[in-house]
Amino acid sequence: MSSKEDFDPKDHQHLRYNPLRDSWVLVSAHRMKRPWAGQIEKPPEEHIPRFDPHNPLCPGNTRANGEVNPDYDSTFVFQNDFPALQPNAPDPDPDQHPLFQSKAARGICKVMCFHPWSDVTLPLMKKEEVVKVIDKWAELVEELGATYPWVQIFENKGAMMGCSNPHPHCQVWASNFLPNEPALSDRSQRSYYQKHGEPLLLQYAKQEAEKKERVVVESSYWLAVVPYWATWPYQTLLLPRRHVLRISDLAKEEREDLADIMKRLLTKYDNLFEVSFPYSMGWHGAPTGPHLNQDNSHWQLHAHYYPPLLRSATVKKFMVGYEMLAQEQRDLTPEQAAEKLRNLPQEHYKNRENKEK
């Protein structure tokens, strides 16, 4: 009789539960051993001019609608010239059948530039400059959240993630509805809180801080981990250590610490393949607008980072086939990903290159 083989997560496929989405992820780390003969992406452009007179996000330049940007020297926020949501859209006609439902969608879309220079990204900015970005995020959540139920802050970094402009910026969309992902997260966090009497992500942060195996960077107030249920190869989850509902609730010292840990995390990303690391990221916090006066104790503020790169600066993870038709699947364990990121130098590779010149 053959003896039963011992389970090793690096060699044996298995499923992991994502409590935020109430779904399962297939982990198949042994697939990293297969040779790659598929698509090779163009490496991100490394030589971005500090100022481009034709870039509509640069200070003093004219945008598509004819408006001229001020000569800003910090953050700069303006209404998106091509918004996906507008505040005065009419209601759709009444539903005629339960299979053909529609609802009104109204909102505001803003663009926020992080810095006047096009050749810097968040990890290369000064800490005090990143603090100003965080302060502006908090200000926008308070301003737009006074009316709208959901305010989504998100950054698409790099052409690989569909970003059409290299200037450091993010978007802020406020909507009169709770979008699918936060609605699902709201239900999952509420269910856990009702069963266990503690916010899901607060307990999760405590567990990860003790285990350490998926921690990438940590500080007095924050923890960044490759989550146990991560789908994207080097996906991370950024969590406060205390119970916080929204980014606008962060104290001054927590914002300063957040700026530091963001720079550290994003430096690790850039150092992985020595390239300006592409990703989509965004903040999730308790709903706003009519939800401000409701009990949202089940919520915990957090940020998701979803980077696509898998093997190198030019080979990304494709979410196709099985992932689209069956369920999410990943090609290395979260523990392997966290170890790779954690062991990278903390000094940004561009700063090292400049010293060597």
Side-chain angles (χ1 to χ4, degrees), residues 32-72:
M32 285 294 285
K33 299 173 184 176
R34 76 193 194 281
W36 180 257
Q39 180 171 320
I40 302 296
E41 305 295 327
K42 181 181 177 181
E45 176 60 53
E46 287 288 299
H47 303 288
I48 306 295
R50 180 155 293 183
F51 174 82
D52 180 349
H54 303 293
N55 188 326
L57 298 188
C58 286
N61 286 354
T62 303
R63 302 201 309 276
N65 64 357
E67 292 188 14
V68 178
N69 297 333
D71 289 321
Y72 63 93

Side-chain angles (χ1 to χ4, degrees), residues 77-80 85 107-112 114 136-137 139-141 144-145 150-155 169-175:
V77 179
F78 61 92
Q79 298 277 2
N80 194 316
L85 292 164
I108 293 176
C109 297
K110 292 178 179 284
V111 176
M112 173 182 162
F114 297 152
K136 184 58 70 172
W137 282 342
E139 183 183 312
L140 287 167
V141 167
L144 299 173
W150 189 253
V151 181
Q152 183 61 64
I153 298 166
F154 66 97
E155 178 193 4
H169 71 286
C170 72
Q171 298 189 55
V172 183
W173 293 12
S175 61

Side-chain angles (χ1 to χ4, degrees), residues 3 19 40 75 79 136 160 165 179 182 200 229 234 243 254 277 279 299 320 329 345 351:
S3 60
I40 302 296
T75 60
Q79 298 277 2
K136 184 58 70 172
M160 198 178 293
N165 194 309
L200 185 161
W229 53 81
Y234 295 96
H243 190 197
E254 290 171 318
F277 211 66
Y279 59 75
W299 265 93
V320 296
Q329 180 269 333
N351 293 334

Side-chain angles (χ1 to χ4, degrees), residues 28-41 160 232-234 272-275 277 307-318 329 331-332 340:
S28 310
H30 57 281
R31 279 168 53 85
M32 285 294 285
K33 299 173 184 176
R34 76 193 194 281
W36 180 257
Q39 180 171 320
I40 302 296
E41 305 295 327
M160 198 178 293
W232 293 95
Y234 295 96
L272 181 61
F273 299 127
E274 295 198 343
V275 70
F277 211 66
L309 294 180
L310 174 61
R311 294 168 178 258
S312 69
T314 59
V315 177
K316 70 177 183 179
K317 167 71 177 176
F318 287 89
Q329 180 269 333
D331 297 322
L332 76 164
K340 282 188 178 183

Side-chain angles (χ1 to χ4, degrees), residues 153-254:
I153 298 166
F154 66 97
E155 178 193 4
N156 294 326
K157 179 172 177 273
M160 198 178 293
M161 300 309 294
C163 181
S164 59
N165 194 309
H167 194 89
H169 71 286
C170 72
Q171 298 189 55
V172 183
W173 293 12
S175 61
N176 70 332
F177 56 91
L178 198 59
N180 293 340
E181 290 299 315
L184 177 56
S185 181
D186 179 71
R187 290 195 298 272
S188 297
Q189 290 181 84
R190 187 185 300 274
S191 175
Y192 185 93
Y193 188 82
Q194 289 172 345
K195 290 177 183 176
H196 302 281
E198 184 177 15
L200 185 161
L201 287 176
L202 189 61
Q203 174 58 220
Y204 178 68
K206 292 176 183 177
Q207 291 286 329
E208 290 287 29
E210 292 176 6
K211 295 177 184 297
K212 299 291 186 186
E213 60 185 335
R214 284 172 295 273
V215 174
V216 178
V217 288
E218 60 182 325
S219 64
S220 299
Y221 297 102
W222 295 90
L223 187 73
V225 304
V226 178
Y228 179 77
W229 53 81
T231 300
W232 293 95
Y234 295 96
Q235 175 181 334
T236 53
L237 182 64
L238 183 54
L239 297 160
R241 291 184 186 269
R242 76 170 178 95
H243 190 197
V244 183
L245 296 184
R246 303 176 183 91
I247 196 168
S248 51
D249 297 331
L250 294 174
K252 181 176 182 291
E253 59 271 20
E254 290 171 318

